[in-house]
Amino acid sequence: MKKLEELYSGKAKSVYATDDADRYILQFRDDTSAFDGKKIEKLARKGMVNNVFNAFVMKRLEEAGIPTHFDKLLSPQEALVKKLEMMPVECVVRNIAAGSICRRLGITEGIDLEPPTFELFLKNDELGDPMINEYHIASFGWGEAQHIERSRELSFAVNDVLKPMFLEAGMLLVDFKLEFGLYRGEVVLGDEFTPDGCRVWDVETREKLDKDRFRQNLGGVIESYELVGRRLGIDFDEATAVREGVDS
Ligand code: ADP
Ligand code: UDP
């Protein structure tokens, strides 16, 4: 596998072309951002932790029959993924009220949402990722109705796999954000599932173990990401011993 030019550098990851026209390399950097890129910091080990965490979760989802872009880990900070035609839409599933839904609807943080709720946001930092609905997506051509419907179905399927997995490990999966894209006409889960894009609380103490530690300056951000991973059964040392050899 040959790593070719950088195609895109986002807030936390960089996307590289490869000599396979159907594959990209995602590089998880140590950069951490919040509030649509207004708060930015480098946190040591973060790229490795998120890359390995994401690989673990994507594999569990594949095993459960959810199509994902993940192929394999290439190095501590790099993964090989299917090249997707991404939809500029963020799908959010919420099991417990936290974050923007509390501000928007005046809801107390921590209330159980039964059934879990689903929201769509436009991926646009300049506009602050505004909330949108299926009609906006159709009118502005951000995605086809059937693809959005499938994304919603897959989002709930992801919740059905991960919510019990976190609970068994002593954690509440409060909410999470997913991004989907198309691969050969099929809707496939792309981007990442890491503590950067979800909320996770300890089931006993309700301590925040996710990116809210960064947003709210609670400290111990990466230590906490690793703790979540270890509780799920991830061995970060073993995983980073993986080296597929990428030619640059
Ligand atoms: P952002 O773009 O929000 O700053 P990142 O720093 O995570 O986010 O950048 C990664 C970019 O790569 C995102 O725009 C994401 O939509 C895109 N992406 C993720 N997975 C794939 C994939 N399999 N194929 C194509 N693009 C992808
Ligand atoms: N989220 C994300 N990227 C975004 C916006 C939200 O990964 O650009 C995640 C966030 O970490 C949380 C969930 O989506 O797990 C819901 O976020 P919310 O709408 O509450 O927004 P926030 O208050 O976190 O900005």
Side-chain angles (χ1 to χ4, degrees):
M1 177 60 53
K2 204 165 162 50
K3 185 175 177 182
L4 302 178
E5 76 276 12
E6 182 181 80
L7 299 173
Y8 174 78
S9 184
K11 296 185 293 296
K13 302 192 290 301
S14 301
V15 181
Y16 290 86
T18 71
D19 54 357
D20 180 339
D22 287 334
R23 293 289 181 278
Y24 280 158
I25 290 175
L26 280 191
Q27 187 199 349
F28 288 70
R29 306 194 315 270
D30 287 343
D31 301 291
T32 311
S33 78
F35 311 120
D36 301 309
K38 289 183 199 83
K39 175 174 163 128
I40 302 178
E41 264 175 52
K42 259 193 200 306
L43 298 176
R45 291 168 56 77
K46 190 216 173 205
M48 177 281 285
V49 169
N50 274 3
N51 186 32
V52 171
F53 194 108
N54 178 62
F56 177 87
V57 173
M58 291 278 171
K59 277 186 217 161
R60 295 291 93 78
L61 295 176
E62 282 281 353
E63 284 161 14
I66 295 164
T68 82
H69 68 158
F70 182 78
D71 248 10
K72 61 181 173 183
L73 279 178
L74 294 175
S75 76
Q77 292 187 226
E78 294 166 308
L80 188 67
V81 298
K82 295 188 185 86
K83 171 180 169 178
L84 305 186
E85 197 186 312
M86 299 301 289
M87 292 182 272
V89 171
E90 301 187 338
C91 296
V92 171
V93 175
R94 300 180 189 271
N95 295 307
I96 297 175
S100 73
I101 198 171
C102 296
R103 297 192 291 275
R104 223 178 321 116
L105 302 179
I107 292 172
T108 308
E109 183 180 89
I111 286 174
D112 279 337
L113 302 174
E114 190 47 54
T117 199
F118 179 80
E119 295 175 337
L120 295 163
F121 297 88
L122 179 66
K123 203 171 143 58
N124 184 321
D125 285 335
E126 276 165 37
L127 298 178
D129 291 349
M131 192 174 179
I132 53 173
N133 65 32
E134 286 86 343
Y135 291 89
H136 297 128
I137 296 174
S139 300
F140 296 107
W142 292 320
E144 283 186 32
Q146 61 184 29
H147 296 148
I148 297 303
E149 202 180 311
R150 178 72 174 144
S151 301
R152 183 177 50 229
E153 184 179 79
L154 289 173
S155 298
F156 281 122
V158 167
N159 196 39
D160 289 343
V161 175
L162 297 186
K163 190 179 158 187
M165 188 176 104
F166 276 78
L167 194 56
E168 241 170 70
M171 296 174 288
L172 296 168
L173 182 57
V174 172
D175 60 30
F176 57 87
K177 181 269 298 178
L178 303 175
E179 293 180 27
F180 294 90
L182 297 176
Y183 184 75
R184 298 176 180 165
E186 190 200 1
V187 176
V188 168
L189 177 62
D191 205 48
E192 64 179 283
F193 190 103
T194 68
D196 262 1
C198 65
R199 288 194 169 89
V200 180
W201 297 349
D202 181 273
V203 72
E204 297 296 336
T205 63
R206 295 211 153 200
E207 187 188 0
K208 294 177 171 150
L209 302 172
D210 53 77
K211 192 152 104 176
D212 273 346
R213 300 201 70 81
F214 176 70
R215 292 189 190 97
Q216 299 172 11
N217 301 311
L218 299 175
V221 179
I222 300 311
E223 291 80 356
S224 193
Y225 287 21
E226 281 187 278
L227 174 72
V228 174
R230 282 200 308 273
R231 283 193 188 178
L232 292 174
I234 301 174
D235 182 336
F236 288 96
D237 296 327
E238 185 196 73
T240 49
V242 177
R243 270 175 229 278
E244 275 285 332
V246 190
D247 313 321
S248 297

